[in-house]
Amino acid sequence: MSAYIEPMVGRYVHVDIDGTLHRIYFEEAGQGIPLVCLHTAGSDNRQWRYLLADEEFTKHFRIIAFDLPWHGKSNPPANWDGSEYRLTTKRYTQTIRAFCNALDLDKPVVMGCSIGGRIVLNLAIDHASEFRALIGLEAADFQAPWYDTAWLNRPDIHGGEVCAALVSGLVAPQSPAEARMETLWAYQQGGPGVFKGDLYFYRVDGDLRGRTKAIDTKLCPLYLLTGEYDFSCSPEDTVRTAAGITGADVTVMEQLGHFPMSEHPAQFRRYIAPVLETIKQKHIS
Amino acid sequence: MKKSDPVNACFGQLPALLERDAALIQRGRFCDVDCLLGSTEQSYHVAIRAGRIIDMVPAPVLMRSWTFGYRATPDAWTAFWQPMPKAGWHDLLSLTKRGEATLEGDIKPFMTNLQYFKDLLALPRNTGGAA
């Protein structure tokens, strides 16, 4: 066979989340330190495909990216009655911990982007001892809203079109056209109301202002990286958040926006490689 | 020359630039709206039908109504139309967030056709913009 087959493998794991069974889709590649990757609101684990295919990283890390329930190939649970989907801080935290437990991961690193970056801060506040390191991309304790989420889910406006069009401005203009297209394609494919439901966590339930000062980076190192073109979670939001966390490592990434791993993988690699190298060296020592 | 003159010149080019972009007209094929677009110093009544600009005249026009308006400062348009705009000046909604632009009126047609309006108003970026 001569065709190139990418190294990641996709499977489903059955996970009990707060008493409800979920069939969670995940892809993984590599061996070593478990590194669990969290996608942005309204998208799915395809955002991490470049990282999963990076053989320099997968030599030392078991990279795992899962789809949250209602996203990508993780269907809603069988008992869903169609009521409005709303992600909460509690449910998001339960989901990540249940997934890590289901795969029996030993002190994984968790890297999340956007809502994934926000929940990483909550993991650092409440569950730091369970993790080897935490990486928040486009993460802040809070950021000012810049649109009304009611526009995202209504029968007279195409949800996929409006979700993708809204976030298109968060992709840096330096992003390669094909990577920009792929990043937006996931938004065009999201289930009705799912992006909006994720933003319930982001906008309403997950305000961490005043709580992040409790983070102990000696217990679990925290890395925060934000793209300069992200005007949703701006570099100022991340720097402000980090200023209240002793020992937090902050990087502003040039020529990147809100979706660094998918919108410009090569540029993102320049910034994430040193972070992963540091985590690897700490593991070895 | 007023600061807004090059910006006005760019707005004047919009109908012709749009006519050269068949994909953008296709994207806006269900868009029919009378809107107010331009700078805080000079705006235009723009009539769009089936994704085409069929009429565009400087405001004010006596008793002419509009459904939604998007207006930014001349400096914001100049920055927005740079070939590689700086962070925070690169998107219509980054301009509203930073207070350099206003989005007013019944914005449903704007939201329904959001990528169309983003791409339409970015067309001068490919022709050198206003500076």
Side-chain angles (χ1 to χ4, degrees), chain B residues 31-45:
Chain B
C31 183
D32 296 315
V33 67
D34 295 327
C35 53
L36 191 71
L37 305 174
S39 79
T40 46
E41 293 185 12
Q42 177 63 64
S43 53
Y44 298 85
H45 288 281

PDB file of all heavy atoms in Angstrom, chain B residues 31-45:
ATOM      1  N   CYS B  31     -29.519  38.206  -0.280  1.00  0.00           N
ATOM      2  CA  CYS B  31     -29.442  39.441   0.491  1.00  0.00           C
ATOM      3  C   CYS B  31     -30.116  40.589  -0.258  1.00  0.00           C
ATOM      4  O   CYS B  31     -29.672  40.976  -1.345  1.00  0.00           O
ATOM      5  CB  CYS B  31     -27.975  39.792   0.783  1.00  0.00           C
ATOM      6  SG  CYS B  31     -27.800  41.261   1.799  1.00  0.00           S
ATOM      7  N   ASP B  32     -31.192  41.092   0.321  1.00  0.00           N
ATOM      8  CA  ASP B  32     -31.898  42.276  -0.179  1.00  0.00           C
ATOM      9  C   ASP B  32     -32.035  43.233   0.997  1.00  0.00           C
ATOM     10  O   ASP B  32     -32.778  42.943   1.932  1.00  0.00           O
ATOM     11  CB  ASP B  32     -33.306  41.923  -0.681  1.00  0.00           C
ATOM     12  CG  ASP B  32     -33.289  41.000  -1.875  1.00  0.00           C
ATOM     13  OD1 ASP B  32     -32.493  41.232  -2.809  1.00  0.00           O
ATOM     14  OD2 ASP B  32     -34.063  40.020  -1.868  1.00  0.00           O
ATOM     15  N   VAL B  33     -31.336  44.349   0.932  1.00  0.00           N
ATOM     16  CA  VAL B  33     -31.412  45.259   2.078  1.00  0.00           C
ATOM     17  C   VAL B  33     -30.992  46.666   1.664  1.00  0.00           C
ATOM     18  O   VAL B  33     -30.169  46.844   0.755  1.00  0.00           O
ATOM     19  CB  VAL B  33     -30.511  44.749   3.246  1.00  0.00           C
ATOM     20  CG1 VAL B  33     -29.031  44.812   2.896  1.00  0.00           C
ATOM     21  CG2 VAL B  33     -30.795  45.499   4.543  1.00  0.00           C
ATOM     22  N   ASP B  34     -31.573  47.645   2.308  1.00  0.00           N
ATOM     23  CA  ASP B  34     -31.115  49.028   2.195  1.00  0.00           C
ATOM     24  C   ASP B  34     -30.380  49.363   3.486  1.00  0.00           C
ATOM     25  O   ASP B  34     -30.979  49.334   4.564  1.00  0.00           O
ATOM     26  CB  ASP B  34     -32.307  49.984   2.010  1.00  0.00           C
ATOM     27  CG  ASP B  34     -33.031  49.745   0.702  1.00  0.00           C
ATOM     28  OD1 ASP B  34     -32.362  49.372  -0.289  1.00  0.00           O
ATOM     29  OD2 ASP B  34     -34.266  49.895   0.677  1.00  0.00           O
ATOM     30  N   CYS B  35     -29.101  49.642   3.366  1.00  0.00           N
ATOM     31  CA  CYS B  35     -28.304  49.849   4.579  1.00  0.00           C
ATOM     32  C   CYS B  35     -27.469  51.124   4.454  1.00  0.00           C
ATOM     33  O   CYS B  35     -27.407  51.751   3.387  1.00  0.00           O
ATOM     34  CB  CYS B  35     -27.400  48.646   4.845  1.00  0.00           C
ATOM     35  SG  CYS B  35     -26.367  48.152   3.456  1.00  0.00           S
ATOM     36  N   LEU B  36     -26.891  51.489   5.567  1.00  0.00           N
ATOM     37  CA  LEU B  36     -26.061  52.689   5.628  1.00  0.00           C
ATOM     38  C   LEU B  36     -24.642  52.254   5.966  1.00  0.00           C
ATOM     39  O   LEU B  36     -24.395  51.708   7.044  1.00  0.00           O
ATOM     40  CB  LEU B  36     -26.603  53.640   6.701  1.00  0.00           C
ATOM     41  CG  LEU B  36     -26.016  55.050   6.705  1.00  0.00           C
ATOM     42  CD1 LEU B  36     -26.517  55.836   5.494  1.00  0.00           C
ATOM     43  CD2 LEU B  36     -26.419  55.780   7.997  1.00  0.00           C
ATOM     44  N   LEU B  37     -23.730  52.429   5.030  1.00  0.00           N
ATOM     45  CA  LEU B  37     -22.339  52.009   5.223  1.00  0.00           C
ATOM     46  C   LEU B  37     -21.432  53.207   5.007  1.00  0.00           C
ATOM     47  O   LEU B  37     -21.736  54.090   4.203  1.00  0.00           O
ATOM     48  CB  LEU B  37     -21.969  50.904   4.212  1.00  0.00           C
ATOM     49  CG  LEU B  37     -22.862  49.663   4.177  1.00  0.00           C
ATOM     50  CD1 LEU B  37     -22.449  48.736   3.021  1.00  0.00           C
ATOM     51  CD2 LEU B  37     -22.818  48.923   5.509  1.00  0.00           C
ATOM     52  N   GLY B  38     -20.324  53.219   5.716  1.00  0.00           N
ATOM     53  CA  GLY B  38     -19.384  54.294   5.464  1.00  0.00           C
ATOM     54  C   GLY B  38     -18.607  54.673   6.703  1.00  0.00           C
ATOM     55  O   GLY B  38     -18.487  53.880   7.647  1.00  0.00           O
ATOM     56  N   SER B  39     -18.092  55.903   6.665  1.00  0.00           N
ATOM     57  CA  SER B  39     -17.311  56.380   7.799  1.00  0.00           C
ATOM     58  C   SER B  39     -18.166  57.281   8.669  1.00  0.00           C
ATOM     59  O   SER B  39     -19.278  57.686   8.291  1.00  0.00           O
ATOM     60  CB  SER B  39     -16.072  57.137   7.315  1.00  0.00           C
ATOM     61  OG  SER B  39     -16.426  58.441   6.919  1.00  0.00           O
ATOM     62  N   THR B  40     -17.634  57.624   9.817  1.00  0.00           N
ATOM     63  CA  THR B  40     -18.340  58.522  10.725  1.00  0.00           C
ATOM     64  C   THR B  40     -18.427  59.927  10.134  1.00  0.00           C
ATOM     65  O   THR B  40     -19.218  60.747  10.596  1.00  0.00           O
ATOM     66  CB  THR B  40     -17.620  58.560  12.081  1.00  0.00           C
ATOM     67  OG1 THR B  40     -16.209  58.719  11.846  1.00  0.00           O
ATOM     68  CG2 THR B  40     -17.838  57.275  12.858  1.00  0.00           C
ATOM     69  N   GLU B  41     -17.620  60.212   9.097  1.00  0.00           N
ATOM     70  CA  GLU B  41     -17.668  61.536   8.469  1.00  0.00           C
ATOM     71  C   GLU B  41     -18.535  61.552   7.213  1.00  0.00           C
ATOM     72  O   GLU B  41     -19.092  62.580   6.842  1.00  0.00           O
ATOM     73  CB  GLU B  41     -16.244  61.999   8.135  1.00  0.00           C
ATOM     74  CG  GLU B  41     -15.422  62.251   9.393  1.00  0.00           C
ATOM     75  CD  GLU B  41     -14.055  62.827   9.080  1.00  0.00           C
ATOM     76  OE1 GLU B  41     -13.810  63.240   7.923  1.00  0.00           O
ATOM     77  OE2 GLU B  41     -13.220  62.852  10.003  1.00  0.00           O
ATOM     78  N   GLN B  42     -18.603  60.404   6.534  1.00  0.00           N
ATOM     79  CA  GLN B  42     -19.416  60.324   5.315  1.00  0.00           C
ATOM     80  C   GLN B  42     -19.926  58.901   5.156  1.00  0.00           C
ATOM     81  O   GLN B  42     -19.130  57.968   5.024  1.00  0.00           O
ATOM     82  CB  GLN B  42     -18.596  60.706   4.074  1.00  0.00           C
ATOM     83  CG  GLN B  42     -19.359  60.584   2.758  1.00  0.00           C
ATOM     84  CD  GLN B  42     -20.561  61.534   2.689  1.00  0.00           C
ATOM     85  OE1 GLN B  42     -20.410  62.739   2.708  1.00  0.00           O
ATOM     86  NE2 GLN B  42     -21.765  60.968   2.638  1.00  0.00           N
ATOM     87  N   SER B  43     -21.229  58.765   5.179  1.00  0.00           N
ATOM     88  CA  SER B  43     -21.807  57.434   4.958  1.00  0.00           C
ATOM     89  C   SER B  43     -22.624  57.431   3.671  1.00  0.00           C
ATOM     90  O   SER B  43     -22.882  58.482   3.082  1.00  0.00           O
ATOM     91  CB  SER B  43     -22.656  57.018   6.164  1.00  0.00           C
ATOM     92  OG  SER B  43     -23.601  58.022   6.460  1.00  0.00           O
ATOM     93  N   TYR B  44     -23.019  56.233   3.265  1.00  0.00           N
ATOM     94  CA  TYR B  44     -23.705  56.043   1.983  1.00  0.00           C
ATOM     95  C   TYR B  44     -24.944  55.189   2.181  1.00  0.00           C
ATOM     96  O   TYR B  44     -24.903  54.199   2.923  1.00  0.00           O
ATOM     97  CB  TYR B  44     -22.782  55.344   0.978  1.00  0.00           C
ATOM     98  CG  TYR B  44     -21.552  56.150   0.662  1.00  0.00           C
ATOM     99  CD1 TYR B  44     -20.425  56.068   1.481  1.00  0.00           C
ATOM    100  CD2 TYR B  44     -21.508  57.018  -0.423  1.00  0.00           C
ATOM    101  CE1 TYR B  44     -19.297  56.825   1.224  1.00  0.00           C
ATOM    102  CE2 TYR B  44     -20.387  57.779  -0.704  1.00  0.00           C
ATOM    103  CZ  TYR B  44     -19.278  57.685   0.129  1.00  0.00           C
ATOM    104  OH  TYR B  44     -18.167  58.442  -0.131  1.00  0.00           O
ATOM    105  N   HIS B  45     -26.002  55.567   1.495  1.00  0.00           N
ATOM    106  CA  HIS B  45     -27.160  54.680   1.406  1.00  0.00           C
ATOM    107  C   HIS B  45     -26.850  53.648   0.335  1.00  0.00           C
ATOM    108  O   HIS B  45     -26.634  54.002  -0.839  1.00  0.00           O
ATOM    109  CB  HIS B  45     -28.418  55.468   1.020  1.00  0.00           C
ATOM    110  CG  HIS B  45     -28.937  56.333   2.129  1.00  0.00           C
ATOM    111  ND1 HIS B  45     -29.677  55.829   3.168  1.00  0.00           N
ATOM    112  CD2 HIS B  45     -28.793  57.663   2.371  1.00  0.00           C
ATOM    113  CE1 HIS B  45     -29.988  56.815   3.997  1.00  0.00           C
ATOM    114  NE2 HIS B  45     -29.466  57.936   3.544  1.00  0.00           N
TER     115      HIS B  45
END
